Amino acid sequence: MISTRLARAGALLSGTRAYATDVLDKKVEMTNQETGHYINYKKMSENLDIVRSRLQRPLTYSEKVLYSHLDDPHGQDIQRGVSYLKLRPDRVACQDATAQMAILQFMSAGMDRVQTPTTVHCDHLIEAQVGGEKDLARANDINKEVYDFLASATAKYNIGFWKPGSGIIHQIVLENYAFPGGLIIGTDSHTPNAGGLATAAIGVGGADAVDVGAHHCHEAAEFLHVRVRRGMGQGRLAGRGRGAQHEVLGGGHRG
């Protein structure tokens, strides 16, 4: 599944037309954890065609991901470091500390369910003191009221809920929700970890996550072009660990 998505995204984002339109029309689930949420590569491709015709210049991979998620590719002002882009992200991910206020704010909007696929991950309120099993039991006891609220609210508003002990948010997102060409908003500083699967994953505050229920505004940033001349070097990925997998995502291929 991952190799197929990479192939499709590679053709889409590199600007080639290796895949016929009927392939882009096929419904591909965004994740195995949910149903009814599909990767809309056709819309992304159409948006990029519009942006390319307007800008008349090569695009970095990061630009392709962002601009393919524009709410209005025809009318959106696009100036690096100046414009604020109105985007339609594919997903929102919240950790348990920031999700509390985010959900309370969402409740005040009077909506019956989230408009963008969203998940809550209970990991930040677990303190590492003795060992996994005892620390988890202690967290469940101390934070019972919080966990009960999150479990109830997520069920009501159609939000995915990863209970305490399920895992760390940024790794769960990478393994279960990231996909090539995707745009994810997360209330965790390690959200960019999803870049390991060619997703543009942006860390925001809890209040910003609430706004993604309809759309998300983000500054059209200046881009850093990274050119690897002689490879990463032996032990590069292992030496730098998790961070290395998305270090060169921002610049890279143009076309």
Side-chain angles (χ1 to χ4, degrees):
M1 176 63 75
I2 290 179
S3 61
T4 302
R5 289 180 179 178
L6 283 170
R8 290 177 180 175
L12 163 67
L13 296 174
S14 65
T16 67
R17 296 294 180 266
Y19 288 90
T21 303
D22 61 336
V23 174
L24 295 179
D25 284 333
K26 290 184 177 180
K27 287 187 175 182
V28 179
E29 292 281 2
M30 194 178 296
T31 173
N32 292 330
Q33 303 295 330
E34 303 166 352
T35 58
H37 299 141
Y38 302 100
I39 302 174
N40 197 346
Y41 278 137
K42 182 178 182 180
K43 177 62 175 177
M44 293 162 65
S45 180
E46 292 172 349
N47 281 2
L48 282 181
D49 286 341
I50 295 170
V51 172
R52 283 193 180 97
S53 67
R54 289 181 55 195
L55 297 184
Q56 292 295 307
R57 63 169 176 80
L59 303 175
T60 68
Y61 179 81
S62 295
E63 286 180 308
K64 292 172 186 176
V65 176
L66 289 178
Y67 298 160
S68 69
H69 288 80
L70 285 174
D71 180 64
D72 178 14
H74 288 285
Q76 173 68 60
D77 181 54
I78 303 175
Q79 299 182 62
R80 289 178 174 179
V82 177
S83 306
Y84 274 81
L85 307 178
K86 182 179 288 188
L87 305 170
R88 289 191 174 273
D90 297 296
R91 175 164 297 277
V92 181
C94 301
Q95 41 98 335
D96 47 359
T98 51
Q100 301 170 56
M101 185 56 66
I103 290 178
L104 287 172
Q105 288 179 302
F106 178 81
M107 292 167 65
S108 67
M111 305 177 74
D112 60 354
R113 59 186 295 162
V114 292
Q115 302 302 299
T116 302
T118 302
T119 51
V120 170
H121 306 260
C122 297
D123 66 342
H124 276 53
L125 298 181
I126 303 174
E127 299 178 18
Q129 295 186 349
V130 181
E133 190 173 325
K134 291 184 178 180
D135 290 341
L136 178 58
R138 179 173 180 273
N140 278 320
D141 179 52
I142 295 176
N143 303 303
K144 184 180 185 305
E145 183 178 0
V146 172
Y147 293 151
D148 287 348
F149 164 70
L150 293 177
S152 175
T154 53
K156 179 176 181 178
Y157 295 110
N158 196 37
I159 299 172
F161 181 68
W162 291 75
K163 66 181 182 180
S166 298
I168 304 300
I169 177 174
H170 58 262
Q171 195 61 25
I172 291 177
V173 170
L174 173 66
E175 295 178 2
N176 294 275
Y177 299 112
F179 62 89
L183 177 59
I184 294 178
I185 303 301
T187 64
D188 179 74
S189 61
H190 295 96
T191 299
N193 187 58
L197 275 178
T199 293
I202 303 170
V204 299
D208 295 317
V210 177
D211 293 336
V212 182
H215 57 261
H216 178 67
C217 292
H218 196 277
E219 184 176 353
E222 299 286 352
F223 286 87
L224 174 67
H225 183 200
V226 179
R227 178 173 296 171
V228 180
R229 295 182 180 276
R230 286 177 291 202
M232 300 291 281
Q234 186 176 2
R236 170 67 171 168
L237 291 179
R240 291 299 295 273
R242 174 181 51 76
Q245 60 190 331
H246 53 263
E247 283 179 347
V248 297
L249 179 61
H253 178 79
R254 290 174 177 264

